[in-house]
Amino acid sequence: MADAPRPESVDNAPRRALVVRGGWDGHQPITITDLFLPFLKDQGFTVETSESLDVYEDAELLAATDLIVQCWTMGEITPEQSDGLAASVRAGTGLAGWHGGIVDSFRDDVGYQLLTGGQFLMHPPGFHDHDVHLVPERADHPVLRGLSDFRVHTEQYWLATDPLIDVLATTTFEPDDVRDRAVVMPAVWTRNWGAGRVFVSAVGHKPDDFDVPEVRALTERGLLWASR
């Protein structure tokens, strides 16, 4: 799938990032998003944070935002908030996130799940070592270029995903007492949504997941890829 060019910022103005964080505390939404605020600022973004979903009803703010970074696990979103978020992405605002902060959000909102392209269903108990395999055909994608397969010690997400996502990396679930064969599961993907872009990584339950160089690199690159 070809990557469409992104428009330049008007008059070279700084890009604007909005970090929306909250929901279940187990994913440490403030601590983990704080890991990426210096990076975004170093990349020339002005950064605003919000700990309320009401920001998704502010059409003027969202229209002026180049990138939404969301880390909001579970919780409930109103129809107005969900529609505002989806409309802003369709109009060109990027959306990016990781783990439950983007694919275990607003479980009752099917429209949101269509926007992100995936929904968390389960993970095996606890943390365990597993490999993340980069899709060879996507090796030249800006999110992956120069990276290799890697291993993490964290939760491994089993997901329901949209066939229209562009899968960049996968993880394999081996057969067990429930599954009679190995299953290859998307772990990192992108998608287009109208004029906007969406980046999702299933890795990122805890802060030290991002100490793995490949996890940190592909997440940072994903934020930049998704941005207007």
Side-chain angles (χ1 to χ4, degrees):
M1 182 181 296
D3 298 312
R6 305 300 279 168
E8 298 295 331
S9 297
V10 177
D11 298 327
N12 295 316
R15 290 184 290 180
R16 296 179 63 175
L18 172 64
V19 179
V20 182
R21 53 197 191 177
W24 182 58
D25 287 338
H27 282 153
Q28 303 179 62
I30 294 177
T31 298
I32 294 184
T33 55
D34 276 352
L35 297 176
F36 293 94
L37 301 189
F39 168 77
L40 289 169
K41 293 173 182 177
D42 287 345
Q43 294 298 312
F45 288 87
T46 61
V47 180
E48 178 178 346
T49 62
S50 175
E51 294 168 31
S52 170
L53 297 175
D54 289 342
V55 73
Y56 288 155
E57 296 185 57
D58 189 337
E60 183 177 355
L61 172 63
L62 296 184
T65 297
D66 298 292
L67 173 66
I68 298 168
V69 181
Q70 181 184 282
C71 187
W72 197 292
T73 303
M74 296 182 278
E76 295 182 359
I77 192 169
T78 68
E80 293 78 13
Q81 292 164 349
S82 182
D83 290 346
L85 172 61
S88 71
V89 177
R90 285 197 304 272
T93 299
L95 174 65
W98 51 83
H99 200 62
I102 195 165
V103 290
D104 190 14
S105 313
F106 325 130
R107 293 176 178 177
D108 293 334
D109 192 305
V110 175
Y112 173 81
Q113 296 163 23
L114 287 170
L115 171 63
T116 60
Q119 171 62 40
F120 164 78
L121 296 180
M122 61 79 70
H123 63 79
F127 306 145
H128 68 280
D129 292 330
H130 59 278
D131 295 321
V132 177
H133 303 282
L134 309 190
V135 176
E137 295 80 6
R138 305 303 284 134
D140 287 337
H141 191 285
V143 171
L144 299 184
R145 194 172 295 134
L147 300 181
S148 301
D149 294 354
F150 56 93
R151 172 161 285 207
V152 290
H153 181 76
T154 190
E155 291 178 345
Q156 185 182 25
Y157 264 14
W158 183 280
L159 300 143
T161 57
D162 188 320
L164 286 176
I165 62 174
D166 181 15
V167 179
L168 303 184
T170 64
T171 185
T172 299
F173 286 79
E174 299 300 334
D176 60 14
D177 58 345
V178 174
R179 293 174 288 273
D180 61 0
R181 64 183 186 276
V183 174
V184 176
M185 183 68 58
V188 180
W189 69 81
T190 61
R191 74 173 310 160
N192 296 315
W193 189 257
R197 289 177 167 182
V198 178
F199 165 80
V200 173
S201 170
V203 181
H205 175 87
K206 47 193 172 57
D208 66 6
D209 289 352
F210 298 98
D211 291 342
V212 178
E214 294 87 350
V215 176
R216 183 66 182 241
L218 70 83
T219 306
E220 291 179 341
R221 293 176 183 184
L223 302 182
L224 298 182
W225 180 90
S227 177
R228 193 195 321 263

